Amino acid sequence: MDRRSFIQSSAAALAGTAVPLFPMAAMAADEIVVGSIVDMSGGLDIYGKPMADCMTLAVEEQNAAGGLLGKKIRLATYDPQSNMQLYAQFAQQSALKDKSTVVMGGITSASREVIRPVLTRNKTLYFYNTQYEGGVCDRNTFCTGVTPGQTVAKLIPYAMKKWGKKVYVVAADYNYGQITSQWVKKFVQENGGSVASIDFFPLDVTNFGPTISKIEAAKPDMIVSALVGGAHISFYRQWAAAGLTKKIPLASTTFAGGNEHIVLSQAEADGFLISYNYFQNLDTPQNKAFKERFYKRFGTDYPNITELAMGTYQGFKLWAEGVKKAGSLDREKMIAALETGISIDGPSGKVSLDPATHHCVLNVSIAEVRNKQLNIVETFQQQQPVDTSAVCNLVKNPKDNQQYVIKV
């Protein structure tokens, strides 16, 4: 059995256990427990497995450098199996039984909104390291991934200039897809375009035939996809099978987050445009050194390092810098240190925490899929988290705890 098959079979074997992968109840005096809750099995494991690997690497590197505050870090990893009840259970367990200093986890926004109140109630710091729809304002939570105000703001005008002004949107039917589609509509309209339709799909939908017929009839200049998860890969296959890949181009806020560009054939995905904070082929000394360490640890046969995986790595590094600055594991002292504008030079470039919003200032790149590769066509330096900063200021209003939603 090769390495990748072993990982997959191991994850499958764990899928029915509903227990932490590394269960240990109490924090020893000489260690710091970091909780990790990501899908290692279930419909979202295409995202979760690389995220778990990057978290493992980040912790191992920190321990090799002496840990934090003279203590070693123990990673307590849970597999919620894409089950919201397990997310809630494991968040509670991580906070109360493991006594985690910080919990990093969640993939979908639904999982974040299950974890977030549990950790706030139990006064356990929470890092959500995934690109998402934006708007969360919560002093106990740090959202380190890119938001539509950073990525969609660049992707939509670029794609419209290239392809045209009439846009058809397909999106996952939960808060990520619903809110992101409104950001797409905002930027389409601001750039002189129109949205023909916005169609939503539950995460388990695999039949897109009727929608594809609707799209053909609408004759848009391009598609924007905010589809999510393994089932939704079917859309791209059925789109190509209908002969539409070369007729109506596609841009996406989510494509390649689960290495869909590798799973699909070249004919099914060539020409797609995407925008993220991180792409594996970023040409920087920091990224080159990171990839060398990553492939030494996980093997040269490892597929593309995803945006979500890198976000997990960078989120941990930001938290570690906060701990160093605070000189303490006290939650209030960590938050105060993080709110000073902590920054790191990561594989994606400079990453800074914005004190007012608890979001990140990040570089953003646009890439085109060609021959199973993500080729960067343009990079935008240090994009502010503009979608949240207009309404959220946790320095002035530390008790604010809500998600601000765009209205178009």
Side-chain angles (χ1 to χ4, degrees):
M1 181 181 295
D2 62 25
R3 177 184 172 279
R4 301 304 296 176
S5 297
F6 173 78
I7 292 173
Q8 292 167 0
S9 64
S10 297
L14 287 163
T17 61
V19 295
L21 300 184
F22 304 101
M24 293 178 71
M27 180 175 69
D30 61 347
E31 68 179 10
I32 300 169
V33 180
V34 172
S36 174
I37 311 175
V38 292
D39 304 71
M40 301 284 285
S41 58
L44 298 175
D45 57 343
I46 60 172
Y47 308 121
K49 290 175 183 177
M51 292 169 72
D53 286 342
C54 266
M55 179 63 78
T56 295
L57 180 65
V59 170
E60 289 177 351
E61 287 182 354
Q62 194 66 52
N63 281 334
L68 287 169
L69 308 183
K71 300 175 184 286
K72 291 294 185 181
I73 298 164
R74 176 167 63 81
L75 182 61
T77 300
Y78 291 84
D79 175 18
Q81 305 163 39
S82 304
N83 181 313
M84 294 303 114
Q85 289 182 326
L86 290 179
Y87 264 110
Q89 175 186 326
F90 293 156
Q92 183 92 350
Q93 188 165 332
S94 189
L96 297 182
K97 187 177 180 182
D98 297 336
K99 301 188 184 304
S100 296
T101 299
V102 63
V103 173
M104 302 195 178
I107 298 178
T108 65
S109 297
S111 64
R112 179 198 67 242
E113 290 309 299
V114 169
I115 293 173
R116 190 163 68 89
V118 173
L119 296 182
T120 298
R121 184 170 61 249
N122 289 294
K123 296 184 178 180
T124 302
L125 193 64
Y126 178 38
F127 267 62
Y128 179 60
N129 300 316
T130 305
Q131 66 99 3
Y132 85 113
E133 73 279 357
V136 169
C137 191
D138 177 356
R139 189 165 181 266
N140 191 63
T141 300
F142 289 83
C143 300
T144 67
V146 287
T147 63
Q150 296 164 313
T151 54
V152 178
K154 300 301 182 183
L155 178 63
I156 292 303
Y158 184 96
M160 288 177 65
K161 184 177 180 180
K162 183 179 178 72
W163 294 328
K165 294 180 180 284
K166 186 177 181 181
V167 178
Y168 198 112
V169 182
V170 291
D173 192 12
Y174 68 104
N175 49 355
Y176 171 77
Q178 292 158 4
I179 297 171
T180 297
S181 66
Q182 292 305 300
W183 281 102
V184 171
K185 183 177 180 180
K186 166 186 166 65
F187 291 118
V188 167
Q189 292 177 344
E190 286 183 359
N191 286 275
S194 63
V195 175
S197 182
I198 302 175
D199 294 354
F200 297 107
F201 305 91
L203 293 178
D204 60 352
V205 166
T206 58
N207 180 14
F208 293 91
T211 296
I212 289 172
S213 296
K214 281 179 59 182
I215 295 171
E216 282 191 278
K219 300 184 186 315
D221 294 315
M222 68 180 195
I223 305 298
V224 175
S225 165
L227 297 173
V228 172
H232 285 183
I233 293 176
S234 299
F235 173 82
Y236 305 111
R237 289 197 167 115
Q238 292 165 29
W239 183 250
L244 295 173
T245 304
K246 294 183 179 179
K247 293 181 180 179
I248 304 175
L250 183 144
S252 177
T253 65
T254 52
F255 190 82
N259 281 329
E260 292 91 339
H261 64 297
I262 296 174
V263 174
L264 296 175
S265 70
Q266 180 180 345
E268 290 169 329
D270 267 11
F272 290 2
L273 288 177
I274 53 179
S275 181
Y276 287 124
N277 166 237
Y278 176 77
F279 291 102
Q280 182 175 271
N281 62 345
L282 280 169
D283 187 16
T284 67
Q286 292 88 348
N287 189 39
K288 181 180 179 182
F290 166 77
K291 289 190 295 183
E292 288 176 354
R293 298 193 305 272
F294 185 92
Y295 286 118
K296 182 178 180 180
R297 173 62 176 83
F298 294 107
T300 56
D301 63 336
Y302 201 99
N304 173 68
I305 303 169
T306 64
E307 154 86 359
L308 302 186
M310 176 50 57
T312 301
Y313 181 88
Q314 291 183 158
F316 178 90
K317 293 294 187 181
L318 283 165
W319 168 76
E321 286 301 309
V323 171
K324 292 175 189 175
K325 188 172 184 66
S328 171
L329 298 176
D330 177 81
R331 183 178 68 110
E332 287 296 327
K333 290 180 179 178
M334 286 191 291
I335 291 173
L338 290 163
E339 286 183 340
T340 62
I342 291 291
S343 66
I344 61 169
D345 289 319
S348 74
K350 185 177 181 181
V351 180
S352 305
L353 274 170
D354 175 50
T357 65
H358 287 197
H359 286 62
C360 282
V361 181
L362 299 159
N363 296 345
V364 168
S365 295
I366 295 173
E368 183 180 51
V369 181
R370 286 292 171 194
N371 194 24
K372 297 183 177 286
Q373 300 296 316
L374 305 175
N375 301 314
I376 296 171
V377 296
E378 192 165 353
T379 296
F380 306 89
Q381 300 293 323
Q382 290 293 280
Q383 300 302 297
Q384 296 281 344
V386 293
D387 57 321
T388 308
S389 61
V391 288
C392 174
N393 190 325
L394 289 163
V395 175
K396 291 183 179 180
N397 305 301
K399 293 184 179 180
D400 198 356
N401 189 333
Q402 62 182 301
Q403 183 173 13
Y404 291 94
V405 178
I406 183 175
K407 294 179 175 61
V408 179

